[in-house]
Amino acid sequence: MDFKIKTNNVRSFAMHTLTQFTGCTNSLKKIGPVKNIGQIAICRTSSKLEDLLLMSPLLKELSNTYPTANIDLFVKGSKATEIFKNYNNIDTVIELPEKSFQQPLEYLKCWGKLRRTKYDLVINADKSSWLGRIAVKFTRARFKLYGDTLSESAALIFSDYKHAAKTSVYDFRFSVSKDGIFEWNDKVPNLDLKLDSSEMSEGNRIFRKIAPAAKKSICIFTYEEGEKRHSAEWWEEFYQKVRGSFPSYALIEILPTEKVSQIGFKAKSFYSSDIRKTASIIANTSIFIGADNGIMQLASATKVPVLGLFITNPERYAPYNNYSSAIETNEDSIDNIVELIDTILHHRLN
């Protein structure tokens, strides 16, 4: 672990310790029912693709609950503007610079903008984020949710409460419902990039150039970092078995920014720095297969079935849209994974 990572870890631990009780007195007190909501802010102070995408179910939940409300996003970096461009109820995206020490004036301006606006409801979308808790505390709002209203014991009612996309939705439902009563069985909204028809058509056009003869395709992403990484040998065996098991499907590999391939570029490949263009390609395929990373969550947000390949427990980040699944590769053989792919494709076709 290099010095920069160690420093960031120490800083995060220290700030989490100092801010873990910020807002607790207020947040543990039932505030619902929450009515007459016209202006909302969501704080998710991360620039990671996956973290921003995992915020989309909360956005959809708020839109369903308060269809006429405007929503501001307080985030880090510029990805959120692109990700949520087709969400009509988003008013302003306040983008903290990713390197705050290099742009101190811009950083302070963002906090000033958050403070100037009077909100009806402000939500911290990640209860473990110390900066998110501070941001909620800093706002002028009628109602403030810090992300920990629903206690751990109450959360046991939901088998999927710990999922990174669902925790904030359940917490919101509990906070704003009368006496904490709501439809326990209501499904949490799926991740959604809201690709429009023109984007889907463009994705189909590019797809036809990549695999002109293919009617059906399997999309893979072989790049992972650190402990999530599968070896090149693992991917090679996987690729050969998938190709042999599904001969009528074209295999398309989405390449990372590094433009590397764990299968030696044996499959048709595609790379773009444009998030939405990449998503439009994935959306035109039959299934996406990849490890726990931002591209897997991007695929999930296109509504295509996703098979997540996890080395560690998939509880927090497993894809959950229609027919999607997650598998721990340390516990299942590649043959079992191929069988699961076949099951997902069968459901998709029927």
Side-chain angles (χ1 to χ4, degrees), residues 150-162:
L150 187 58
S151 67
E152 291 294 328
S153 58
L156 293 175
I157 297 171
F158 311 102
S159 61
D160 56 355
Y161 169 78
K162 292 184 179 180

Side-chain angles (χ1 to χ4, degrees), residues 143-318:
F143 301 105
K144 299 182 180 184
L145 301 182
Y146 293 86
D148 51 12
T149 306
L150 187 58
S151 67
E152 291 294 328
S153 58
L156 293 175
I157 297 171
F158 311 102
S159 61
D160 56 355
Y161 169 78
K162 292 184 179 180
H163 193 284
K166 300 181 180 184
T167 301
S168 59
V169 174
Y170 284 132
D171 192 80
F172 164 74
R173 288 177 179 176
F174 181 81
S175 299
V176 304
S177 59
K178 185 177 181 180
D179 300 322
I181 299 172
F182 56 93
E183 293 297 327
W184 302 95
N185 294 323
D186 276 1
K187 293 179 66 176
V188 172
N190 294 332
L191 275 66
D192 195 353
L193 196 62
K194 291 187 180 289
L195 292 170
D196 58 35
S197 57
S198 63
E199 289 174 318
M200 290 294 292
S201 297
E202 176 66 7
N204 182 262
R205 184 187 67 79
I206 298 172
F207 169 75
R208 293 301 165 197
K209 284 188 175 182
I210 298 171
K215 293 183 179 179
K216 301 174 292 185
S217 63
I218 293 172
C219 186
I220 61 176
F221 186 80
T222 67
Y223 183 78
E224 303 115 357
E225 296 180 342
E227 296 177 352
K228 301 175 183 179
R229 183 185 297 274
H230 292 77
S231 68
E233 292 77 18
W234 188 95
W235 275 110
E236 177 64 26
E237 181 183 353
F238 174 83
Y239 170 74
Q240 294 299 340
K241 288 192 175 181
V242 170
R243 189 179 68 166
S245 300
F246 306 99
S248 63
Y249 285 78
L251 266 69
I252 297 176
E253 181 181 10
I254 301 297
L255 298 178
T257 304
E258 294 79 1
K259 296 181 183 177
V260 296
S261 168
Q262 291 279 71
I263 56 172
F265 301 96
K266 290 184 174 69
K268 302 282 187 180
S269 61
F270 175 80
Y271 169 76
S272 174
S273 59
D274 187 319
I275 293 171
R276 301 190 71 87
K277 184 176 289 187
T278 299
S280 73
I281 299 294
I282 297 171
N284 278 279
T285 62
S286 299
I287 185 173
F288 174 91
I289 305 165
D292 171 22
N293 52 46
I295 299 298
M296 185 195 76
Q297 302 299 349
L298 183 70
S300 185
T302 70
K303 302 179 183 179
V304 71
V306 174
L307 177 56
L309 306 176
F310 287 77
I311 291 178
T312 55
N313 191 331
E315 184 178 41
R316 277 185 56 79
Y317 298 105

